[in-house]
C-alpha cells in the first residue's frame, strides 16, 4: 500500500463543493469533460449519511494494457458523515484489482474551499504490486487537482 495525499483550493464555497460532489449531474459533466463514458451515479441517504455511488467502464491507457487489459470497471462510493468530511472507496477491476481508500475533506479557505484527501492506494498484482503502486500513486493527486479545477468551473 502507498500513502496518497492531496490538498488544493477550489474557488467555490464549501457548500458549493459539497453540492457538486453529491450531484449526479456534476459527475456526468466531469466524465464528459474528461472524455470518459457517462457514469451511473446515485446519491441516497443511508442511516443519516449521504452516500454517492458511481460506476463506469473506462479504457485503460496503452502503457498499462499489458498489466490491466483493455478496460477497467471503476466504482466509487463516498459516504458523507457531514458536509465537510466523507470516506471514499474507489475499486478498479481489470485483469488485476486496485483500490483507493481514504477521507476527503472540504474546509473553508481564503479562495473559497480547501479540498483535501488522505488515503492509501493498493494494487493487487502478485510480485509487481509495489512497482505498479509506485507508478499509479502519482496519478491520484493529479486526478484530485483536475477534480478541483472542474469543481471551480462547474455551473450546476
Amino acid at each position: 500500500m502507498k500513502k496518497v495525499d492531496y490538498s488544493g483550493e477550489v474557488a467555490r464555497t464549501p457548500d458549493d463543493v459539497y453540492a457538486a460532489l453529491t450531484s449526479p449531474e456534476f459527475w456526468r459533466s466531469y466524465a464528459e469533460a474528461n472524455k470518459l463514458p457517462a457514469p451511473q451515479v446515485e446519491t441516497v441517504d443511508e442511516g443519516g449519511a449521504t452516500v454517492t455511488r458511481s460506476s463506469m467502464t473506462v479504457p485503460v491507457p496503452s502503457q498499462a494494457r499489458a498489466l490491466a487489459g483493455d478496460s477497467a470497471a471503476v466504482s466509487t462510493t463516498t459516504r458523507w458523515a457531514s458536509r465537510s468530511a466523507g470516506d471514499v472507496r474507489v475499486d478498479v477491476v481489470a485483469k488485476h484489482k486496485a483500490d483507493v481508500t481514504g477521507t476527503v475533506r472540504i474546509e473553508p479557505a481564503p479562495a473559497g474551499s480547501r479540498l483535501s484527501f488522505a488515503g492509501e492506494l493498493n494494487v493487487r498484482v502478485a510480485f509487481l504490486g509495489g512497482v505498479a503502486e509506485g507508478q499509479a500513486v502519482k496519478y491520484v493527486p493529479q486526478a484530485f487537482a483536475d477534480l478541483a479545477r472542474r469543481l471551480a468551473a462547474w455551473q450546476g
Side-chain angles (χ1 to χ4, degrees):
M1 283 192 201
K2 296 279 186 185
K3 295 281 185 200
V4 179
D5 294 302
Y6 170 80
S7 182
E9 290 199 15
V10 179
R12 300 295 284 266
T13 68
D15 284 343
D16 288 346
V17 172
Y18 174 80
L21 292 176
T22 58
S23 167
E25 292 79 20
F26 170 76
W27 289 110
R28 289 183 192 106
S29 72
Y30 178 83
E32 182 179 333
N34 284 291
K35 297 180 174 74
L36 296 170
Q40 294 180 341
V41 184
E42 70 172 357
T43 297
V44 297
D45 182 50
E46 288 183 0
T50 299
V51 179
T52 301
R53 290 185 184 87
S54 69
S55 61
M56 72 173 97
T57 300
V58 299
V60 171
S62 59
Q63 64 270 27
R65 286 190 182 140
L67 189 61
D70 292 336
S71 63
V74 179
S75 62
T76 304
T77 301
T78 306
R79 181 173 300 278
W80 295 93
S82 71
R83 295 176 71 82
S84 61
D87 293 326
V88 178
R89 179 174 183 90
V90 179
D91 289 297
V92 179
V93 179
K95 275 186 184 177
H96 301 282
K97 296 180 180 179
D99 61 70
V100 177
T101 57
T103 301
V104 64
R105 297 192 184 285
I106 306 166
E107 300 168 321
S113 299
R114 174 152 303 280
L115 179 67
S116 61
F117 177 80
E120 295 180 332
L121 167 71
N122 186 12
V123 177
R124 291 174 175 75
V125 179
F127 307 112
L128 297 174
V131 173
E133 286 171 352
Q135 294 298 311
V137 73
K138 63 186 166 190
Y139 294 107
V140 176
Q142 289 175 6
F144 271 97
D146 179 60
L147 176 61
R149 284 189 297 277
R150 301 285 180 201
L151 284 165
W154 190 54
Q155 299 299 315

